[in-house]
Amino acid sequence: MAQQITVCLINGDGVGKEVIPAAAQVLEALKIGITFTQAEAGWECFQQRGNALPEETKAAILAADGTLFGATSSPSTKVAGYSSPVLGMRKAFDLYANVRPTLSIPGGVQGIDLLIVRENTEGMYAGRERVEDGGATAIAERVITVKASERIVRYAFEAARKRDKRKNVTIVHKANVLKETDGLFRSCALKVAAEFPDVTYDELLVDACAMWLVKDPTRFDVIVTTNLFGDILSDEAAGLIGGLGVAPSANVGSTKAAYFEPVHGSAPDIAGKDIANPVGAILSAAMLLDHVGQTEAARRVEAAVFAALAAGIRTRDLDGEATTEEMVRAVVERM
Ligand code: NAI
Ligand code: MG
């Protein structure tokens, strides 16, 4: 009997409403009997319901084998009662690994195939911020723990072991300045590295890593780092292969709950115009398929995306003319 797979779709805000239905169309075209559920989260959801991540949405995520999420429009200033559903999901389900592959696409710079594994639960995004001196000073606390550091580095080494590339992990930190926090991350990383004799590793300071990503991205296999550094480096890496529109990501942890999202945000500047690139969302759906063990289906989706891009069908962000709808059709036709 075929495996029963339930995928929860959460469009969220802005272009999420276009790219998630697009990815769902591709999943549907696989004809492997996926059951879809729908749930709400994000800024619009907050405005309508007073909660950016309602309990029933969390229940839907838990009930599914994987969740596809679009994006949220988080305001840059504090809004009473609002907190990002992205951070909420990571916290609620302890999704400690943010996994972002960067693979050369047809027509762009070739030879890039790297994976950034970013710690997803602490660091600069631990949510410990406060204001002192009546507003004259703002302080953020950076939290690094042995537990979170060891498990994220272990995830990275296991990922490197599974890849058919060089099987190398680059440990990225700034321990020369952040002696306590990144000193702890680094010592945890070196300890875990010793458990993997079949995987090589090296170390880079984050600023040097940013430079090397631009100068020679082909030298990297797996990069593991703390939350904020990973956030920045992975957007930089996306820029190497054509931008945010094509970059996928996974948020996974120790339980069954996991969600997959394009790296980009809600892109209000292009939302509602049928010009958003659905490739990041579609490749995120492929990561979901891998997560549920549908590796053959995942490869089919990726191959169809690459074939469509190679045929010159591209959205505007890749200097093409295709609409979102046309891009999806081109992918579906090639499956
Ligand atoms: P963004 O990723 O939404 O957009 C940055 C630039 O990339 C824009 O010029 C946009 O048009 C372009 N872009 C993004 N996705 C695209 C796509 N699929 N196809 C073609 N072009 C695309 O980041 P921005 O503008 O900094 O943030 C907008 C909103 O998104 C903010 O409210 C922010 O908080 C939110 N955001 C949410 C994220 C999430 O839900 N995980 C991640 C990043 C930002
Ligand atoms: Mg980001």
Side-chain angles (χ1 to χ4, degrees):
M1 201 183 102
Q3 182 190 4
Q4 290 296 314
I5 302 159
T6 304
V7 173
C8 175
L9 303 172
I10 306 178
N11 293 343
D13 303 311
V15 293
K17 296 185 203 307
E18 297 159 67
V19 298
I20 296 305
Q25 253 177 275
V26 172
L27 287 178
E28 204 141 12
L30 284 168
K31 301 208 188 329
I32 54 171
I34 298 174
T35 304
F36 294 97
T37 59
Q38 297 266 354
E40 285 178 40
W43 175 245
E44 253 183 53
C45 175
F46 170 74
Q47 285 178 313
Q48 285 161 11
R49 309 174 49 168
N51 188 345
L53 185 63
E55 284 306 317
E56 68 199 61
T57 297
K58 287 191 203 165
I61 296 169
L62 269 181
D65 297 300
T67 294
L68 258 187
F69 176 70
T72 183
S73 293
S74 288
S76 297
T77 51
K78 205 168 171 176
V79 174
Y82 176 83
S83 63
S84 166
V86 169
L87 299 180
M89 286 190 279
R90 290 170 191 172
K91 206 167 225 152
F93 306 119
D94 195 31
L95 304 177
Y96 65 83
N98 188 297
V99 185
R100 298 185 175 188
T102 301
L103 184 65
S104 291
I105 63 168
V109 180
Q110 293 305 297
I112 305 172
D113 180 5
L114 60 92
L115 183 74
I116 298 184
V117 176
R118 158 188 167 199
E119 204 293 320
N120 218 11
T121 62
E122 54 176 32
M124 285 306 288
Y125 297 169
R128 296 209 198 163
E129 286 201 297
R130 61 182 189 276
V131 172
E132 293 184 356
D133 303 337
T137 305
I139 297 172
E141 283 180 339
R142 185 168 191 266
V143 180
I144 300 291
T145 64
V146 169
K147 181 187 169 200
S149 300
E150 286 189 358
R151 69 183 179 179
I152 195 66
V153 175
R154 201 164 277 126
Y155 186 99
F157 275 83
E158 274 160 11
R161 182 178 266 169
K162 281 187 220 132
R163 281 160 63 85
D164 44 40
K165 276 205 68 194
R166 263 164 306 168
K167 304 197 196 304
N168 184 74
V169 176
T170 304
I171 300 161
V172 174
H173 56 76
K174 190 74 183 174
N176 58 331
V177 176
L178 302 168
K179 290 202 162 62
E180 296 299 342
T181 50
D182 266 5
L184 182 59
F185 176 77
R186 176 175 182 268
S187 63
C188 290
L190 296 181
K191 186 185 151 216
V192 171
E195 296 169 16
F196 292 82
D198 54 326
V199 179
T200 57
Y201 73 90
D202 58 346
E203 288 182 66
L204 274 180
L205 296 174
V206 63
D207 41 355
C209 181
M211 185 280 294
W212 278 112
L213 266 177
V214 173
K215 196 172 159 68
D216 182 15
T218 64
R219 69 176 256 162
F220 292 102
D221 184 11
V222 175
I223 292 173
V224 66
T225 189
T226 53
N227 205 337
L228 172 65
F229 295 162
D231 192 6
I232 297 169
L233 292 177
S234 55
D235 275 27
E236 183 191 351
L240 299 170
I241 54 151
L244 288 173
V246 299
S249 76
N251 291 268
V252 296
S254 42
T255 68
K256 178 180 152 237
Y259 80 92
F260 302 80
E261 60 169 343
V263 170
H264 64 74
S266 60
D269 52 333
I270 59 163
K273 298 180 181 164
D274 192 29
I275 57 172
N277 192 342
V279 166
I282 296 170
L283 294 178
S284 299
M287 292 184 83
L288 188 159
L289 291 167
D290 268 325
H291 178 75
V292 299
Q294 292 281 345
T295 50
E296 191 242 341
R299 300 293 84 73
R300 267 172 73 201
V301 170
E302 284 168 1
V305 168
F306 276 56
L309 291 171
I313 297 149
R314 295 146 188 274
T315 44
R316 286 194 205 176
D317 53 313
L318 298 178
D319 301 323
E321 286 170 0
T323 63
T324 309
E325 196 46 54
E326 286 163 355
M327 190 72 218
V328 178
R329 213 176 308 135
V331 172
V332 169
E333 276 167 11
R334 285 165 177 80
M335 292 195 332

